[in-house]
Amino acid sequence: MNKLAALAQFLYALDLVASEQIDAWAEDMNLVPRYQSRGDGGVILFERWYTAWFAFERWPHQDIDPDLLFAQVLAWLFTNDPERDRDRGETDPEIDVDILDNNLADLTITIRFREEVGIVPDEAGTIEYQGQRWRVEAPAVWPAEAGEIA
């Protein structure tokens, strides 16, 4: 759950509230088998779908505008998950706010993520597949630098 971990680390580093007031976890995980050659000897074996939860307890909504947090999350998504697409089932973040009193609120942000999980040949790998040994490795992303449309 690389995206969950990366976004959680980003949110902790913002230091908007004490780290003890922030919690992050995953629910509703699904694995979708998908054998696809990566072209470098590796294979994308499956997609991992999950809902990431980010909870902020006792958010001081009178002192720190919640929109600052929401803007930070969306900016992170645009930068770090630019291929989010509603057609693939990734939804917009959902927000839940529970006002505790005039100064504090509990905020929860849920985000549906999709991640590809790949394997590469490795004689010391712990996965046995198609008669050889493999290890888990994040798929490399090879963006096009130029192209032509005919």
Coordinates of all heavy atoms in Angstrom, one line a residue, residues 83-147:
E83 N -2.8 9.5 -12.7 CA -3.5 8.7 -13.7 C -4.9 8.2 -13.0 O -5.5 7.3 -13.6 CB -2.7 7.5 -14.1 CG -1.5 8.0 -14.9 CD -0.6 6.8 -15.4 OE1 -1.0 5.7 -15.2 OE2 0.5 7.1 -15.9
R84 N -5.2 8.9 -11.9 CA -6.5 8.5 -11.3 C -7.6 8.7 -12.4 O -7.6 9.7 -13.1 CB -6.8 9.4 -10.1 CG -5.9 9.2 -9.0 CD -6.3 10.1 -7.8 NE -7.6 9.7 -7.3 CZ -7.8 8.6 -6.5 NH1 -6.8 7.9 -6.1 NH2 -9.0 8.3 -6.0
D85 N -8.5 7.7 -12.5 CA -9.5 7.8 -13.5 C -10.8 7.2 -13.0 O -10.8 6.0 -12.6 CB -9.0 7.0 -14.7 CG -9.9 7.1 -15.9 OD1 -10.9 6.4 -15.9 OD2 -9.6 7.9 -16.8
R86 N -11.9 7.9 -13.1 CA -13.1 7.4 -12.6 C -13.6 6.1 -13.3 O -14.2 5.3 -12.8 CB -14.2 8.4 -12.7 CG -14.1 9.5 -11.7 CD -15.2 10.5 -11.7 NE -15.0 11.6 -10.8 CZ -14.4 12.7 -11.1 NH1 -14.0 12.9 -12.4 NH2 -14.3 13.7 -10.3
D87 N -13.2 6.0 -14.6 CA -13.5 4.8 -15.3 C -12.9 3.5 -14.8 O -13.4 2.4 -15.0 CB -13.1 4.9 -16.8 CG -14.0 6.0 -17.5 OD1 -15.1 6.3 -17.0 OD2 -13.5 6.5 -18.5
R88 N -11.8 3.6 -14.0 CA -11.2 2.5 -13.4 C -11.7 2.2 -12.0 O -11.2 1.3 -11.3 CB -9.7 2.7 -13.4 CG -9.0 2.7 -14.7 CD -7.5 2.6 -14.7 NE -7.0 3.3 -13.5 CZ -5.9 4.1 -13.6 NH1 -5.2 4.2 -14.7 NH2 -5.4 4.7 -12.5
G89 N -12.6 3.0 -11.5 CA -13.2 2.8 -10.2 C -12.6 3.6 -9.1 O -13.0 3.5 -7.9
E90 N -11.5 4.4 -9.4 CA -11.0 5.3 -8.4 C -11.9 6.5 -8.2 O -12.2 7.2 -9.2 CB -9.6 5.7 -8.7 CG -8.6 4.6 -8.7 CD -7.3 4.9 -9.4 OE1 -7.3 5.6 -10.4 OE2 -6.3 4.5 -8.9
T91 N -12.4 6.7 -7.0 CA -13.3 7.8 -6.8 C -12.7 9.0 -6.2 O -11.5 9.0 -5.8 CB -14.4 7.3 -5.9 OG1 -13.8 6.9 -4.6 CG2 -15.2 6.2 -6.5
D92 N -13.4 10.1 -6.2 CA -12.9 11.3 -5.6 C -12.8 11.1 -4.1 O -13.6 10.2 -3.5 CB -13.9 12.5 -5.9 CG -13.9 12.9 -7.3 OD1 -12.9 12.7 -8.0 OD2 -14.9 13.4 -7.8
P93 N -11.9 11.8 -3.4 CA -11.9 11.6 -1.9 C -13.2 12.0 -1.3 O -14.0 12.8 -1.8 CB -10.8 12.6 -1.5 CG -10.0 12.8 -2.8 CD -10.9 12.7 -3.9
E94 N -13.5 11.2 -0.2 CA -14.8 11.5 0.5 C -14.4 12.1 1.9 O -13.4 11.6 2.5 CB -15.6 10.3 0.7 CG -16.2 9.8 -0.7 CD -17.1 8.6 -0.5 OE1 -17.5 8.3 0.6 OE2 -17.3 7.9 -1.5
I95 N -15.1 13.0 2.4 CA -14.8 13.7 3.6 C -16.0 13.5 4.6 O -17.1 13.6 4.2 CB -14.7 15.2 3.4 CG1 -13.7 15.5 2.3 CG2 -14.3 15.9 4.7 CD1 -12.3 15.2 2.5
D96 N -15.6 13.2 5.8 CA -16.6 13.1 6.9 C -16.1 14.0 8.0 O -15.0 14.0 8.4 CB -16.8 11.7 7.4 CG -17.9 11.6 8.4 OD1 -19.0 12.1 8.2 OD2 -17.6 11.0 9.5
V97 N -17.0 14.9 8.5 CA -16.7 15.9 9.5 C -17.7 15.6 10.7 O -18.9 15.6 10.5 CB -16.8 17.3 9.0 CG1 -16.5 18.3 10.2 CG2 -15.9 17.5 7.9
D98 N -17.1 15.5 11.9 CA -17.9 15.4 13.1 C -17.5 16.5 14.0 O -16.4 16.5 14.6 CB -17.6 14.0 13.8 CG -18.5 13.8 15.0 OD1 -19.5 14.5 15.2 OD2 -18.1 12.9 15.8
I99 N -18.3 17.5 14.1 CA -18.0 18.7 15.0 C -18.2 18.3 16.4 O -19.2 17.8 16.9 CB -19.0 19.9 14.7 CG1 -18.9 20.3 13.2 CG2 -18.7 21.0 15.6 CD1 -17.6 20.9 12.8
L100 N -17.1 18.5 17.2 CA -17.1 18.1 18.6 C -17.5 19.3 19.5 O -18.2 19.1 20.5 CB -15.7 17.7 19.0 CG -15.1 16.5 18.3 CD1 -13.7 16.2 18.7 CD2 -16.0 15.2 18.4
D101 N -17.1 20.5 19.2 CA -17.5 21.7 19.9 C -17.2 22.9 19.0 O -16.8 22.7 17.8 CB -16.8 21.8 21.3 CG -15.3 21.8 21.2 OD1 -14.7 22.4 20.3 OD2 -14.7 21.3 22.2
N102 N -17.2 24.1 19.5 CA -17.0 25.3 18.7 C -15.5 25.4 18.2 O -15.3 26.1 17.2 CB -17.3 26.5 19.5 CG -18.7 26.7 19.8 OD1 -19.6 26.2 19.0 ND2 -19.1 27.5 20.8
N103 N -14.6 24.6 18.7 CA -13.2 24.7 18.3 C -12.7 23.5 17.6 O -11.7 23.5 16.9 CB -12.3 25.1 19.5 CG -12.7 26.4 20.1 OD1 -12.9 27.4 19.4 ND2 -12.8 26.5 21.4
L104 N -13.2 22.3 17.9 CA -12.6 21.1 17.5 C -13.6 20.2 16.7 O -14.8 20.2 16.9 CB -12.2 20.2 18.7 CG -11.1 20.9 19.6 CD1 -10.9 20.0 20.8 CD2 -9.8 21.1 18.9
A105 N -13.0 19.5 15.7 CA -13.8 18.5 14.9 C -12.9 17.3 14.6 O -11.7 17.4 14.5 CB -14.3 19.2 13.6
D106 N -13.6 16.2 14.4 CA -12.9 15.0 13.9 C -13.1 15.0 12.4 O -14.3 15.1 11.9 CB -13.4 13.7 14.5 CG -13.0 13.6 16.0 OD1 -12.0 14.3 16.4 OD2 -13.6 12.8 16.7
L107 N -12.1 14.9 11.6 CA -12.1 14.8 10.1 C -11.7 13.4 9.7 O -10.7 12.9 10.1 CB -11.2 15.9 9.5 CG -11.4 17.3 9.9 CD1 -10.3 18.2 9.2 CD2 -12.8 17.8 9.6
T108 N -12.4 12.9 8.7 CA -11.9 11.6 8.1 C -12.0 11.8 6.6 O -12.9 12.3 6.0 CB -12.9 10.5 8.5 OG1 -12.9 10.4 9.9 CG2 -12.4 9.2 7.9
I109 N -10.9 11.4 5.9 CA -10.8 11.5 4.4 C -10.6 10.0 4.0 O -9.7 9.3 4.5 CB -9.6 12.3 4.0 CG1 -9.7 13.8 4.5 CG2 -9.5 12.3 2.5 CD1 -8.5 14.6 4.3
T110 N -11.4 9.6 3.0 CA -11.2 8.2 2.4 C -11.0 8.4 1.0 O -11.6 9.2 0.3 CB -12.5 7.3 2.7 OG1 -13.6 8.0 2.1 CG2 -12.7 7.0 4.1
I111 N -10.0 7.6 0.5 CA -9.6 7.6 -0.9 C -9.4 6.2 -1.4 O -8.8 5.4 -0.8 CB -8.3 8.4 -1.1 CG1 -8.3 9.8 -0.5 CG2 -7.8 8.5 -2.5 CD1 -7.0 10.5 -0.3
R112 N -10.0 5.9 -2.6 CA -9.9 4.6 -3.2 C -8.6 4.6 -4.1 O -8.4 5.5 -4.9 CB -11.1 4.3 -4.1 CG -11.1 2.9 -4.6 CD -11.6 1.9 -3.6 NE -11.8 0.6 -4.2 CZ -11.6 -0.5 -3.5 NH1 -11.3 -0.5 -2.3 NH2 -11.7 -1.7 -4.1
F113 N -7.7 3.7 -3.8 CA -6.4 3.6 -4.6 C -6.3 2.3 -5.4 O -6.9 1.3 -5.0 CB -5.2 3.7 -3.7 CG -4.9 5.1 -3.1 CD1 -4.8 5.3 -1.8 CD2 -4.6 6.1 -4.0 CE1 -4.4 6.5 -1.3 CE2 -4.3 7.4 -3.5 CZ -4.2 7.6 -2.2
R114 N -5.6 2.4 -6.5 CA -5.2 1.2 -7.3 C -3.7 1.2 -7.4 O -3.1 2.2 -7.8 CB -5.9 1.3 -8.7 CG -5.5 0.1 -9.6 CD -6.0 0.3 -11.0 NE -5.2 1.3 -11.7 CZ -4.1 1.1 -12.3 NH1 -3.6 -0.1 -12.4 NH2 -3.5 2.1 -12.9
E115 N -3.1 0.1 -7.2 CA -1.7 -0.1 -7.4 C -1.4 -1.4 -8.1 O -2.0 -2.4 -7.8 CB -0.9 -0.1 -6.0 CG -1.1 1.2 -5.3 CD -0.5 1.2 -3.9 OE1 0.1 0.1 -3.4 OE2 -0.6 2.2 -3.2
E116 N -0.4 -1.3 -9.0 CA 0.0 -2.5 -9.7 C 1.1 -3.2 -8.9 O 2.0 -2.5 -8.3 CB 0.6 -2.2 -11.1 CG -0.5 -1.7 -12.0 CD 0.1 -1.3 -13.4 OE1 1.3 -0.9 -13.4 OE2 -0.6 -1.3 -14.3
V117 N 1.1 -4.5 -8.8 CA 2.1 -5.2 -8.1 C 2.9 -6.1 -9.1 O 2.2 -6.9 -9.8 CB 1.6 -6.1 -6.9 CG1 2.7 -6.9 -6.2 CG2 0.9 -5.1 -5.9
G118 N 4.1 -6.0 -9.2 CA 4.9 -6.7 -10.2 C 6.0 -7.6 -9.5 O 6.3 -7.5 -8.4
I119 N 6.4 -8.6 -10.3 CA 7.5 -9.4 -9.9 C 8.6 -9.5 -11.0 O 8.3 -9.2 -12.2 CB 7.0 -10.9 -9.6 CG1 6.2 -11.5 -10.9 CG2 6.1 -10.9 -8.4 CD1 5.8 -12.9 -10.7
V120 N 9.8 -9.7 -10.6 CA 10.9 -9.8 -11.5 C 11.7 -11.1 -11.2 O 11.7 -11.5 -10.1 CB 11.9 -8.6 -11.4 CG1 11.2 -7.3 -11.9 CG2 12.4 -8.4 -10.0
P121 N 12.3 -11.7 -12.2 CA 13.1 -12.9 -12.0 C 14.3 -12.6 -11.0 O 14.9 -11.5 -11.1 CB 13.7 -13.2 -13.4 CG 12.8 -12.5 -14.3 CD 12.3 -11.3 -13.6
D122 N 14.4 -13.6 -10.1 CA 15.5 -13.4 -9.1 C 15.8 -14.8 -8.6 O 14.9 -15.4 -7.9 CB 15.1 -12.5 -8.0 CG 16.1 -12.3 -6.9 OD1 17.1 -13.1 -6.8 OD2 16.0 -11.3 -6.1
E123 N 17.0 -15.4 -8.8 CA 17.3 -16.7 -8.4 C 17.2 -16.9 -6.9 O 16.9 -18.0 -6.4 CB 18.7 -17.1 -8.8 CG 18.9 -17.2 -10.3 CD 20.3 -17.6 -10.7 OE1 21.1 -18.0 -9.8 OE2 20.6 -17.5 -11.9
A124 N 17.3 -15.8 -6.1 CA 17.1 -15.9 -4.6 C 15.7 -15.5 -4.2 O 15.4 -15.4 -3.0 CB 18.2 -15.0 -4.0
G125 N 14.8 -15.3 -5.2 CA 13.5 -14.9 -4.8 C 12.7 -15.9 -4.1 O 13.0 -17.1 -4.2
T126 N 11.7 -15.5 -3.4 CA 10.9 -16.4 -2.6 C 9.6 -16.9 -3.3 O 8.9 -17.7 -2.8 CB 10.5 -15.8 -1.3 OG1 9.7 -14.6 -1.5 CG2 11.7 -15.5 -0.4
I127 N 9.3 -16.3 -4.5 CA 8.1 -16.7 -5.2 C 8.5 -17.7 -6.3 O 9.4 -17.4 -7.1 CB 7.4 -15.5 -5.8 CG1 7.1 -14.5 -4.7 CG2 6.2 -15.8 -6.7 CD1 6.7 -13.1 -5.2
E128 N 7.8 -18.8 -6.4 CA 8.0 -19.7 -7.5 C 6.9 -19.6 -8.5 O 5.7 -19.8 -8.1 CB 8.1 -21.2 -7.0 CG 8.6 -22.1 -8.0 CD 8.8 -23.5 -7.4 OE1 9.3 -23.6 -6.3 OE2 8.6 -24.5 -8.2
Y129 N 7.2 -19.3 -9.7 CA 6.1 -19.1 -10.7 C 6.7 -19.4 -12.1 O 7.8 -19.0 -12.4 CB 5.7 -17.6 -10.6 CG 4.6 -17.2 -11.6 CD1 3.4 -17.8 -11.6 CD2 4.9 -16.2 -12.6 CE1 2.4 -17.4 -12.5 CE2 3.9 -15.8 -13.5 CZ 2.7 -16.4 -13.5 OH 1.7 -16.1 -14.4
Q130 N 6.0 -20.2 -12.9 CA 6.4 -20.5 -14.2 C 7.8 -21.2 -14.3 O 8.6 -20.9 -15.2 CB 6.3 -19.3 -15.2 CG 4.9 -18.8 -15.4 CD 4.8 -17.7 -16.4 OE1 5.8 -17.1 -16.8 NE2 3.6 -17.5 -16.9
G131 N 8.1 -22.0 -13.3 CA 9.3 -22.7 -13.3 C 10.6 -21.9 -12.9 O 11.7 -22.4 -13.2
Q132 N 10.4 -20.7 -12.4 CA 11.5 -19.9 -12.0 C 11.2 -19.2 -10.7 O 10.1 -19.2 -10.2 CB 12.1 -19.0 -13.1 CG 11.1 -17.9 -13.6 CD 11.7 -17.1 -14.7 OE1 12.5 -17.6 -15.5 NE2 11.3 -15.9 -14.8
R133 N 12.3 -18.6 -10.1 CA 12.1 -17.8 -8.9 C 12.0 -16.3 -9.2 O 12.6 -15.8 -10.1 CB 13.4 -18.0 -8.0 CG 13.8 -19.5 -7.8 CD 12.8 -20.3 -7.0 NE 12.8 -19.9 -5.6 CZ 12.0 -20.4 -4.7 NH1 11.1 -21.3 -5.0 NH2 12.1 -20.0 -3.4
W134 N 11.2 -15.7 -8.4 CA 10.8 -14.3 -8.6 C 10.9 -13.5 -7.2 O 10.7 -14.2 -6.2 CB 9.5 -14.1 -9.1 CG 9.2 -14.8 -10.4 CD1 9.0 -16.2 -10.6 CD2 9.1 -14.3 -11.7 NE1 8.8 -16.5 -11.9 CE2 8.8 -15.3 -12.6 CE3 9.2 -13.0 -12.2 CZ2 8.6 -15.1 -14.0 CZ3 9.0 -12.8 -13.6 CH2 8.7 -13.8 -14.5
R135 N 10.9 -12.2 -7.3 CA 10.7 -11.4 -6.1 C 9.8 -10.2 -6.5 O 9.7 -9.9 -7.7 CB 12.0 -10.8 -5.6 CG 12.7 -9.8 -6.5 CD 14.0 -9.3 -5.9 NE 14.9 -8.8 -6.9 CZ 14.8 -7.6 -7.5 NH1 13.9 -6.8 -7.2 NH2 15.7 -7.3 -8.5
V136 N 9.1 -9.7 -5.5 CA 8.2 -8.6 -5.7 C 9.0 -7.3 -6.0 O 10.0 -7.1 -5.3 CB 7.3 -8.4 -4.5 CG1 6.4 -7.1 -4.7 CG2 6.4 -9.6 -4.3
E137 N 8.6 -6.6 -7.0 CA 9.3 -5.3 -7.3 C 8.2 -4.3 -7.9 O 7.4 -4.8 -8.7 CB 10.4 -5.5 -8.3 CG 11.2 -4.2 -8.6 CD 12.4 -4.4 -9.5 OE1 13.4 -4.9 -9.0 OE2 12.3 -4.1 -10.7
A138 N 8.3 -3.1 -7.4 CA 7.3 -2.1 -8.0 C 7.6 -2.0 -9.5 O 8.7 -1.9 -9.9 CB 7.5 -0.8 -7.3
P139 N 6.5 -2.0 -10.3 CA 6.7 -1.8 -11.7 C 7.3 -0.5 -12.1 O 7.0 0.6 -11.5 CB 5.2 -1.8 -12.3 CG 4.4 -2.5 -11.2 CD 5.1 -2.2 -9.9
A140 N 8.2 -0.5 -13.0 CA 8.8 0.8 -13.5 C 7.8 1.5 -14.3 O 7.1 0.9 -15.1 CB 10.1 0.4 -14.2
V141 N 7.9 2.8 -14.3 CA 7.0 3.6 -15.1 C 7.9 4.3 -16.2 O 8.9 4.9 -15.8 CB 6.3 4.7 -14.3 CG1 5.5 5.6 -15.2 CG2 5.4 4.1 -13.2
W142 N 7.6 4.0 -17.4 CA 8.4 4.5 -18.5 C 7.5 5.5 -19.3 O 6.9 5.1 -20.3 CB 8.8 3.4 -19.4 CG 9.7 2.4 -18.7 CD1 9.3 1.3 -18.0 CD2 11.1 2.4 -18.7 NE1 10.4 0.6 -17.5 CE2 11.5 1.3 -17.9 CE3 12.1 3.3 -19.2 CZ2 12.9 1.0 -17.7 CZ3 13.4 3.0 -19.0 CH2 13.8 1.9 -18.2
P143 N 7.4 6.8 -18.9 CA 6.6 7.7 -19.7 C 7.2 8.0 -21.0 O 8.4 8.1 -21.2 CB 6.6 9.0 -18.8 CG 7.8 8.8 -18.0 CD 8.1 7.4 -17.8
A144 N 6.3 8.3 -22.0 CA 6.8 8.6 -23.3 C 7.4 10.1 -23.3 O 6.8 10.9 -22.6 CB 5.7 8.6 -24.3
E145 N 8.5 10.3 -23.9 CA 9.1 11.6 -24.0 C 8.7 12.3 -25.3 O 8.9 13.5 -25.4 CB 10.6 11.5 -23.8 CG 10.9 11.0 -22.4 CD 12.4 11.0 -22.1 OE1 13.2 11.5 -23.0 OE2 12.8 10.4 -21.1
A146 N 8.4 11.5 -26.3 CA 8.0 12.1 -27.5 C 7.1 11.1 -28.3 O 7.1 9.9 -27.9 CB 9.2 12.4 -28.4
G147 N 6.4 11.6 -29.2 CA 5.5 10.7 -30.0 C 4.9 11.4 -31.2 O 5.0 12.6 -31.3

